[in-house]
Amino acid sequence: MAAPVSVPDGAPSAREPFVRHLGPNWYAAVMGTAIVANAGVALPVDVPGLRTGCLLVWVLSAVMLAVLLCARAVHWAFHHDQARAHLLDPAVAPFYGCLSMALLAVGGGAMLVGKDWIGAGPAVVVDTVLFLAGTAVGLLAAVAIPYLMVERHQIKPGSASPVWLLPIVAPMVSAALGPLLIPHLPPGQWQEALLLGCYGMFGLSLLATFVLLPAVFSRLVIGPRLPLALTPTLFLVLGPLGQSTTAVNKFADAAPGVVRAPYTDGFRMLAVIYGVPVMGFALLWFAFAGAVLVHARRRGMRFSMTWWALTFPVGTCVTGAEGLARHTGLDLYRWLALALYAFLLAAWLVAGSLTLRGLFTGALRPAPAAG
């Protein structure tokens, strides 16, 4: 879920500070790690040691987030010219949505599994802080990045990319994780406001996706073809699909006692009426993107940070399938969640191990963005 950052010609001098060219795309690794824990802890199976494993993965994602936030703070403080250049680069700016989603994913994980280690009270505090920060950043990115694309970026015809979805899918992540905090708010206005606020962000993100997705698919059909390194970003389309399915199921879980009876039933029906067909389309896109990915691999696609696009979006489909399993009672969705989680786990292990190798060898040293 990140722009290709391989090495080759034009890589920065070894004398340049490592953080100078460290872009927001690196938050994708945090998202991809956190979703392994968040999705795994809700799997509809009882696997010995699974929850402990998920806790360890969540701790890893929290450490990664803390380290990256510090590094990016240094980047902004001492390399403001490069930070500004990132914002004005249409290939890099959309990745500011990843900052929001990294904050939200780690915060939600605190409530889902992190509480086993830090306790329920501290978990609520951590999630509240990260949810508020992540939601604020996500809403800002959902407005600011499209504004920059229209007013400041020099975008060539036929350059639409799945990466464009990143800023607008961030509010959908807030919509899906916000209901975790509802039971910890005072009953009445506060709880209802958060639930309906999440529903509003669901609509914001979904309608914006409807606007951008046709441009992305048009490029795939008409051309020019995506560069090999960007092929994994096709999986980013699964993000708004899986996350919106997760969100409507979370609304159905949270609605009883928060909104009046007719609306409670409405949220419960929406979970199935919306979730089932959207999950069907997500599976169609998963198969399509997988076929294109295999073809690109045969044409010589090598590892780059874009491979992290195979993690978080697929993880949202796992949580979407888990929600449908709860609200339909169908074993079909339980098996689907397990199958998708197996893919997620394999993709995370591959992306994580190759990223570590690239960092140690210098092959993934952050490089100047292409102009």
Side-chain angles (χ1 to χ4, degrees), residues 30 33-34 56-69 106 117 130:
V30 179
T33 300
L56 294 175
V57 173
W58 175 78
V59 171
L60 174 61
S61 72
V63 171
M64 291 169 63
L65 177 63
V67 170
L68 195 50
L69 286 173
V106 173
W117 180 45
L130 294 183

Side-chain angles (χ1 to χ4, degrees), residues 33-176:
T33 300
I35 197 68
V36 171
N38 297 357
V41 78
L43 282 175
V45 291
D46 185 14
V47 179
L50 177 61
R51 191 171 182 89
T52 301
C54 290
L55 174 60
L56 294 175
V57 173
W58 175 78
V59 171
L60 174 61
S61 72
V63 171
M64 291 169 63
L65 177 63
V67 170
L68 195 50
L69 286 173
C70 291
R72 288 284 298 162
V74 172
H75 172 84
W76 270 95
F78 295 100
H79 305 285
H80 186 71
D81 61 321
Q82 189 66 24
R84 178 178 171 80
H86 283 168
L87 277 174
L88 297 179
D89 187 339
V92 179
F95 287 101
Y96 272 92
C98 292
L99 166 58
S100 167
M101 291 184 278
L103 293 168
L104 292 165
V106 173
M111 291 288 287
L112 293 169
V113 66
K115 62 185 179 183
D116 293 356
W117 180 45
I118 63 177
V124 172
V125 174
V126 169
D127 189 25
T128 300
V129 171
L130 294 183
F131 175 78
L132 291 175
T135 299
V137 171
L139 291 174
L140 178 61
V143 175
I145 302 305
Y147 170 80
L148 289 174
M149 292 172 68
V150 171
E151 295 293 339
R152 302 297 300 274
H153 294 165
Q154 299 298 316
I155 297 177
K156 300 176 182 178
S159 62
S161 163
V163 169
W164 289 7
L165 295 171
L166 288 172
I168 63 171
V169 78
M172 187 68 80
V173 180
S174 292

Side-chain angles (χ1 to χ4, degrees), residues 30 39 44 69 77 96 99-100 107 134 163 176 186 203 205 211 221 252 284 294 302 350-351:
V30 179
L69 286 173
Y96 272 92
L99 166 58
S100 167
V163 169
S205 181
V211 170
V221 175
L284 169 66
V294 170
R302 303 179 63 185
V350 170

